[in-house]
Amino acid sequence: MTTTTSSPTHLNPAVLQASYAVRGPLATKAEHYRAHIKAKGDNHDLPFKSIVTANIGNPQQAGLDQPPLTFFRQVAALTEYTPLLDDPRAQDLFPADVRARARELLAEVGSTGAYSHSQGVPAIRQHVAEFITARDHLPAELAADPSNIFLTAGASQGVSLILQVLSTKTSGILIPIPQYPLYTATLAALDTNALPYHLNEADDWSMDPQSVEDAIAEAHARDIAPRALVVINPGNPTGSVMQKETMQAVLDICAKYHLVLLADEVYQVNIHDPAKEWVSFASLARKNPTEPKVAIVSFHSISKGVTGECGRRGGYFELLNFPAEVTAQIYKMASVGLCPPVQGQIAVDCLVRPPKPGDESYPLYEKESTTIARALKERTETMVSKLNALPGISCQPSTGALYVYPRLYLPQRAKEEAKKRGQEPDEYYAECLLDETGICVTPGSGFGQREGESHIRLTVLCPGVDEYVGRIEKFHNAFMKKWE
Amino acid sequence: MTTTTSSPTHLNPAVLQASYAVRGPLATKAEHYRAHIKAKGDNHDLPFKSIVTANIGNPQQAGLDQPPLTFFRQVAALTEYTPLLDDPRAQDLFPADVRARARELLAEVGSTGAYSHSQGVPAIRQHVAEFITARDHLPAELAADPSNIFLTAGASQGVSLILQVLSTKTSGILIPIPQYPLYTATLAALDTNALPYHLNEADDWSMDPQSVEDAIAEAHARDIAPRALVVINPGNPTGSVMQKETMQAVLDICAKYHLVLLADEVYQVNIHDPAKEWVSFASLARKNPTEPKVAIVSFHSISKGVTGECGRRGGYFELLNFPAEVTAQIYKMASVGLCPPVQGQIAVDCLVRPPKPGDESYPLYEKESTTIARALKERTETMVSKLNALPGISCQPSTGALYVYPRLYLPQRAKEEAKKRGQEPDEYYAECLLDETGICVTPGSGFGQREGESHIRLTVLCPGVDEYVGRIEKFHNAFMKKWE
Ligand SMILES: Cc1ncc(COP(=O)(O)O)c(C=O)c1O
Ligand SMILES: Cc1ncc(COP(=O)(O)O)c(C=O)c1O
């Protein structure tokens, strides 16, 4: 087709560089299979009966069907269609605390159809600040400040906004390997430098502060000034929960090298091991300040935890120890997009102010959230132990987040076959897995790994773990045999 | 405060360059006044009793209170809290067509809490394509294709996505002056070149194709390759609706110089003059193809028209005549943000499939939308004629969009006073207007204008036009007198 379109060679070269694996070619192929099954019904000719979507952390998607928390949806419905609040026929349909919350939010938001303040509705930011203060047991003089809270369209938007503001051509951002590919994709599109440091798989994917020091030294040798450090805790894809001592060491490194700490804490509620306690970076930094103080951006989201409200696009970040001039630049760029989705903001309010004991909604809320948390924990444990029982697979425990991330020791001949096809070995493995079992996972190459390593990431969101891990077992054994 | 934060000099220099006037210092000052009045009640010491927010096109915001269309909100509530669909107590609360629509959407969307396809829910994109085909009276062989539709978080997100993909350091994007500052802010942050062409105020802000040719010649002289042309039709801030002949000339220029046409058509429904017919660029390009065909991106939004659902963040763009490799790059960048807000997508569905005659919701929908359209038209006409009656003000008719954009002929001494304060004359005028009357407008300098010119933009969304334009008249006369 001859048109006036820029051919790809005319496009932004940084955009061409970016890659994003989570929604890459495998996900597209899985969609095609799903459409094929839907179109053909029982007459389809695929060797499996359904697609299992284990590639993205999307709890409420069709087939996973994690139910939304009722409280969130009731508040959403009442704030959307406000005549329900006063209609006598609707009086029994909503608990008293839901009605009160909806009225309170409407008084602050006005209409859900109005652009809000670009930083988010002030009252909701106030509630976020109170949530942080309570969660981190902060004394009054260290309390979080609503003027440092920015509501966002999911954590994704917050992360890209902050990376945009911090990126320059000659500086770089330290990122963990493996990492959630939002980081590499965004940094590539910004034409700045991603400075990888490696997590320690053998030790439950822990972070070795020395690996960060090494990455900093390497950057300096290349004349790149490290400007910020990304930490994902609990980890995606690793499922690792950081220890307090390591976190303190990270803060010390940030102080020593003048790094902004980007703390991606979207999985803070997903902790499967009661022995592990999650603490926020901001709380440590507030209570044990370094010299200089570390500037921190902490990201949170309504998409994960037991909420799983991904489609609503809600989240926030808090700025700690940021000078006003930098905050002003962040505000300016936020305002170009006008405002985050108001229903997403309302869901953030529900996240930070869930029903309390004594509220009419509390018993149901409590039941729904513990049921979800229990299922996530049980599935994680089942998957880790079943995967570890397979030859050529070793899987760290995954005490947090929504994923298991086994390492694959693939036969040499399978690696050669992958190479012939122009794929990474784990891409080839994942594609065969999809073709033969209908299970869609994300290959480790999308998250970054050491040369020669192979991993796959599976979410712990699919019900029927026994059945579908059974499919993986069968496939895996046959694959290993075929290429041995 | 000494912290590890990058001082502003360490930030992305392109971000520091960007400016965004619509939510600039005046808007912030107006917020402070509003908070002051709220805190002090009747005891405040400001010389006005309320803030009139005439600076942004935000119809449902507090004080403007344009009601949402009931159909949209009923569908939203039922898709958020799905038990209402089956609860016998809720049967009378929603019309049959609303219930049917909600069920139909839920069958496609699954949960509103799930990430959708990154390009938007396929069925909703199908409905958008059908809407375009019907709106533009396209024969079957020219029908719009859902695979070229991208749903977005408001048109803003679509515009910045496309600009990001098209921008390079050595090329540029032609933009109208005056323009909606999303364009200049985004291009500045992308460190690419905005290539201004001037609209012709004297002729109802029409677009003179020669001015585009001139801007192209100037770019070539500076060794910058123009890559795309932005047209806003109906215009913001101008209120101008383009003539078909001019549009054809624009398409010819795009073909001649290999430009991608970015058609910002978010105000397509806001036409106040029955003699003016709005047509889409895509329909002209489809029906009278140039050689080569012009690649077009057309943007639409749920924020404007009579819908006014700004806070929901919904919109779409259609790609026409784009090669698959370029579309793939756009898709990749869209997928990094995961997906547009699902309730925004649902509102797009309502926008492109409103109730039809015969549907239970139709009479109310029809009444609500004509009431809003009539109010917008009447206010526009009143404001234009009242402003034109003032000395030192001339205002073009504004036959479309949601704004009037009068030119101010300010006294020399007022200009000197502005200069002393480091402000543009219209910034100074707008700040005095706010300080004395509580009316917040946007100075023309935020949209771009010729050296020495002054304008202000007022939205036509505020009820009580007679009263508040009366405040402007009084202020204006005193201002002119004071500085004459
Ligand atoms: C580590 C991490 N950060 C951020 C996000 C972004 O999520 P959202 O934009 O839905 O809040 C995700 C999503 O999977 C994630 O895994
Ligand atoms: C010309 C123009 N384009 C795009 C937008 C973006 O609107 P939204 O992102 O709410 O769709 C606006 C908003 O005022 C506008 O005036």
Side-chain angles (χ1 to χ4, degrees):
Chain A
M1 175 165 59
T2 334
T3 81
T4 64
T5 329
S6 315
S7 82
T9 54
H10 282 168
L11 302 182
N12 185 337
V15 164
L16 296 174
Q17 277 306 314
S19 78
Y20 189 67
V22 178
R23 299 202 151 195
L26 269 193
T28 308
K29 193 171 192 182
E31 282 315 314
H32 285 158
Y33 282 154
R34 190 193 306 282
H36 179 83
I37 293 174
K38 196 174 160 192
K40 300 271 172 153
D42 286 346
N43 293 328
H44 73 79
D45 50 5
L46 296 169
F48 44 83
K49 57 180 197 306
S50 64
I51 294 293
V52 177
T53 316
N55 60 318
I56 58 169
N58 188 10
Q60 296 184 24
Q61 107 190 89
L64 308 185
D65 298 320
Q66 177 178 304
L69 300 175
T70 301
F71 178 78
F72 282 64
R73 296 308 190 86
Q74 289 178 328
V75 171
L78 284 182
T79 50
E80 287 298 352
Y81 184 47
T82 56
L84 289 177
L85 275 166
D86 297 314
D87 194 314
R89 293 169 297 174
Q91 295 309 302
D92 301 345
L93 291 168
F94 298 92
D97 57 335
V98 167
R99 311 170 69 80
R101 177 65 61 85
R103 284 191 201 279
E104 186 190 344
L105 284 168
L106 286 167
E108 298 293 343
V109 168
S111 167
T112 57
Y115 295 126
S116 71
H117 189 291
S118 296
Q119 216 174 318
V121 174
I124 300 180
R125 287 190 277 126
Q126 173 70 42
H127 300 149
V128 170
E130 288 163 7
F131 160 80
I132 295 171
T133 302
R135 181 197 67 189
D136 292 348
H137 310 291
L138 301 176
E141 69 278 13
L142 296 179
D145 175 351
S147 68
N148 291 325
I149 309 289
F150 284 70
L151 302 185
T152 56
S156 303
Q157 190 209 6
V159 168
S160 50
L161 175 61
I162 293 294
L163 294 179
Q164 180 190 32
V165 171
L166 294 181
S167 294
T168 73
K169 219 124 291 163
T170 55
S171 66
I173 313 265
L174 293 147
I175 57 163
I177 296 296
Q179 52 93 41
Y180 177 60
L182 166 64
Y183 292 94
T184 37
T186 307
L187 294 173
L190 286 163
D191 194 19
T192 183
N193 303 289
L195 307 170
Y197 65 90
H198 284 268
L199 300 174
N200 186 358
E201 177 165 10
D203 181 32
D204 189 12
W205 291 110
S206 63
M207 175 173 176
D208 177 356
Q210 187 55 45
S211 69
V212 179
E213 297 255 9
D214 293 347
I216 293 171
E218 204 181 303
H220 284 147
R222 289 165 57 208
D223 256 346
I224 295 168
R227 187 81 4 107
L229 169 66
V230 174
V231 177
I232 308 175
N233 179 38
N236 176 5
T238 65
S240 182
V241 180
M242 281 181 97
Q243 312 247 321
K244 245 182 174 172
E245 302 71 55
T246 315
M247 294 172 72
Q248 196 58 57
V250 167
L251 289 167
D252 291 339
I253 290 178
C254 290
K256 178 169 164 194
Y257 295 100
H258 285 77
L259 301 174
V260 176
L261 178 62
L262 306 182
D264 183 330
E265 304 180 325
V266 301
Y267 296 102
Q268 58 189 261
V269 167
N270 299 111
I271 307 293
H272 312 307
D273 178 350
K276 297 253 175 172
E277 185 207 9
W278 178 85
V279 290
S280 74
F281 269 106
S283 71
L284 288 188
R286 280 182 163 107
K287 291 171 190 169
N288 310 312
T290 48
E291 178 44 47
K293 286 179 178 169
V294 179
I296 302 184
V297 191
S298 358
F299 300 94
H300 197 8
S301 170
I302 60 172
S303 300
K304 313 297 170 183
V306 293
T307 321
E309 293 280 10
C310 304
R312 208 173 278 280
R313 313 310 292 124
Y316 74 80
F317 60 82
E318 185 198 14
L319 300 177
L320 182 67
N321 299 328
F322 270 66
E325 314 92 273
V326 177
T327 307
Q329 292 296 327
I330 295 169
Y331 174 72
K332 179 181 73 182
M333 293 317 294
S335 73
V336 175
L338 295 169
C339 74
V342 174
Q343 264 311 332
Q345 299 186 46
I346 287 176
V348 170
D349 195 82
C350 294
L351 177 76
V352 300
R353 288 200 300 161
K356 292 182 309 296
D359 292 348
E360 191 178 336
S361 295
Y362 182 75
L364 180 61
Y365 166 77
E366 184 59 16
K367 182 167 158 242
E368 290 173 336
S369 41
T370 50
T371 305
I372 293 169
R374 191 170 327 114
L376 296 173
K377 172 185 158 66
E378 286 172 4
R379 280 190 217 130
T380 305
E381 288 165 0
T382 307
M383 288 170 73
V384 168
S385 77
K386 290 198 180 219
L387 289 168
N388 270 326
L390 292 175
I393 291 193
S394 92
C395 186
Q396 296 299 316
S398 184
T399 45
L402 300 175
Y403 311 96
V404 296
Y405 193 57
R407 178 157 178 195
L408 309 177
Y409 298 86
L410 297 176
Q412 190 52 34
R413 286 183 46 239
K415 293 185 186 175
E416 283 157 17
E417 176 67 20
K419 197 163 179 188
K420 258 191 251 162
R421 294 165 182 263
Q423 287 181 304
E424 292 297 322
D426 49 21
E427 278 178 329
Y428 175 58
Y429 179 93
E431 185 160 4
C432 294
L433 179 67
L434 173 62
D435 290 342
E436 292 175 32
T437 67
I439 299 168
C440 185
V441 301
T442 309
S445 37
F447 304 103
Q449 56 198 355
R450 288 206 168 79
E451 180 78 33
E453 290 185 358
S454 295
H455 296 84
I456 53 171
R457 189 192 73 171
L458 300 93
T459 68
V460 301
L461 295 162
C462 312
V465 164
D466 288 318
E467 187 274 327
Y468 99 80
V469 179
R471 289 200 229 171
I472 297 179
E473 286 163 349
K474 210 171 127 203
F475 161 81
H476 180 79
N477 287 326
F479 185 93
M480 297 299 276
K481 186 121 192 229
K482 175 169 175 193
W483 298 107
E484 87 188 341
Chain B
M1 176 163 61
T2 335
T3 80
T4 64
T5 330
S6 316
S7 82
T9 54
H10 280 167
L11 302 181
N12 185 336
V15 164
L16 295 174
Q17 279 305 315
S19 78
Y20 190 66
V22 178
R23 299 202 152 194
L26 270 193
T28 308
K29 194 172 192 182
E31 281 315 313
H32 285 158
Y33 282 155
R34 189 193 306 281
H36 179 81
I37 293 174
K38 197 174 161 194
K40 299 271 171 158
D42 285 345
N43 293 329
H44 73 78
D45 50 4
L46 296 170
F48 44 82
K49 58 180 199 305
S50 64
I51 294 292
V52 177
T53 314
N55 60 318
I56 57 169
N58 189 10
Q60 296 184 25
Q61 109 188 89
L64 307 185
D65 298 321
Q66 177 177 303
L69 300 175
T70 301
F71 178 77
F72 282 64
R73 296 308 190 89
Q74 288 178 328
V75 171
L78 284 181
T79 50
E80 286 299 351
Y81 185 46
T82 56
L84 289 177
L85 274 166
D86 297 314
D87 194 314
R89 295 169 296 174
Q91 296 309 303
D92 302 345
L93 291 168
F94 298 91
D97 56 336
V98 167
R99 311 171 68 81
R101 177 66 59 86
R103 283 190 201 280
E104 186 190 344
L105 284 168
L106 286 167
E108 298 293 343
V109 167
S111 167
T112 58
Y115 295 126
S116 72
H117 189 290
S118 296
Q119 217 174 318
V121 174
I124 300 180
R125 287 189 275 127
Q126 173 70 42
H127 300 150
V128 170
E130 289 163 7
F131 160 80
I132 294 171
T133 302
R135 180 196 69 190
D136 292 348
H137 309 291
L138 301 177
E141 69 277 13
L142 296 179
D145 175 350
S147 68
N148 291 325
I149 309 289
F150 284 70
L151 302 185
T152 57
S156 303
Q157 190 209 5
V159 168
S160 51
L161 175 62
I162 294 294
L163 294 180
Q164 179 191 32
V165 171
L166 294 181
S167 294
T168 72
K169 220 124 291 160
T170 54
S171 65
I173 312 266
L174 293 147
I175 56 163
I177 296 295
Q179 51 95 40
Y180 176 60
L182 166 64
Y183 292 95
T184 37
T186 307
L187 294 173
L190 286 164
D191 194 19
T192 183
N193 303 290
L195 308 171
Y197 66 90
H198 283 268
L199 300 175
N200 186 359
E201 177 165 10
D203 181 30
D204 189 12
W205 291 110
S206 64
M207 176 171 175
D208 176 357
Q210 186 57 44
S211 70
V212 179
E213 297 255 9
D214 293 347
I216 292 171
E218 204 181 302
H220 284 147
R222 289 166 56 209
D223 256 347
I224 295 168
R227 187 83 0 110
L229 168 66
V230 174
V231 177
I232 308 176
N233 179 38
N236 176 5
T238 64
S240 181
V241 180
M242 283 182 95
Q243 312 246 323
K244 242 179 173 173
E245 303 72 56
T246 314
M247 294 172 72
Q248 195 58 58
V250 167
L251 289 168
D252 291 339
I253 290 178
C254 290
K256 178 170 165 196
Y257 295 99
H258 286 76
L259 301 173
V260 176
L261 178 62
L262 306 183
D264 183 331
E265 304 179 327
V266 301
Y267 296 103
Q268 58 190 263
V269 167
N270 299 111
I271 307 293
H272 311 307
D273 177 351
K276 297 252 174 172
E277 184 207 9
W278 178 86
V279 289
S280 74
F281 269 107
S283 71
L284 288 189
R286 280 182 163 107
K287 291 171 190 167
N288 311 313
T290 49
E291 177 44 45
K293 286 180 178 167
V294 178
I296 302 184
V297 192
S298 359
F299 301 93
H300 196 6
S301 170
I302 60 171
S303 299
K304 313 297 170 183
V306 293
T307 322
E309 294 280 11
C310 303
R312 208 173 279 280
R313 314 309 293 124
Y316 73 81
F317 60 81
E318 185 198 15
L319 301 177
L320 183 67
N321 299 328
F322 270 67
E325 313 92 274
V326 177
T327 308
Q329 293 295 327
I330 295 169
Y331 174 71
K332 179 180 71 183
M333 293 317 293
S335 73
V336 176
L338 295 169
C339 73
V342 174
Q343 264 310 334
Q345 299 186 46
I346 287 176
V348 170
D349 195 82
C350 294
L351 177 77
V352 300
R353 289 200 300 161
K356 293 182 308 295
D359 293 348
E360 191 178 337
S361 295
Y362 182 75
L364 180 60
Y365 166 78
E366 184 59 16
K367 182 167 159 244
E368 290 173 335
S369 41
T370 49
T371 305
I372 293 169
R374 191 170 327 112
L376 295 173
K377 172 185 160 67
E378 286 172 5
R379 281 190 216 129
T380 305
E381 288 165 0
T382 307
M383 289 171 72
V384 169
S385 77
K386 290 200 178 220
L387 288 168
N388 270 326
L390 292 176
I393 291 193
S394 92
C395 187
Q396 296 299 316
S398 185
T399 45
L402 300 175
Y403 312 96
V404 297
Y405 193 57
R407 178 156 177 194
L408 309 178
Y409 298 85
L410 298 177
Q412 189 54 33
R413 284 184 46 242
K415 292 185 187 175
E416 282 157 17
E417 177 66 19
K419 199 167 178 185
K420 257 191 249 160
R421 296 166 181 263
Q423 288 180 305
E424 293 296 323
D426 50 21
E427 276 177 329
Y428 176 57
Y429 179 93
E431 185 160 5
C432 295
L433 178 68
L434 174 63
D435 291 341
E436 291 175 34
T437 66
I439 298 169
C440 186
V441 301
T442 308
S445 37
F447 304 104
Q449 56 198 354
R450 287 208 169 77
E451 180 79 32
E453 290 185 358
S454 296
H455 295 84
I456 52 170
R457 188 193 74 172
L458 300 93
T459 68
V460 302
L461 296 163
C462 312
V465 164
D466 287 318
E467 187 275 326
Y468 99 81
V469 179
R471 291 200 226 171
I472 297 179
E473 286 164 348
K474 212 172 123 203
F475 162 81
H476 181 78
N477 287 327
F479 185 94
M480 297 300 277
K481 187 123 192 226
K482 174 169 174 191
W483 297 106
E484 88 190 339

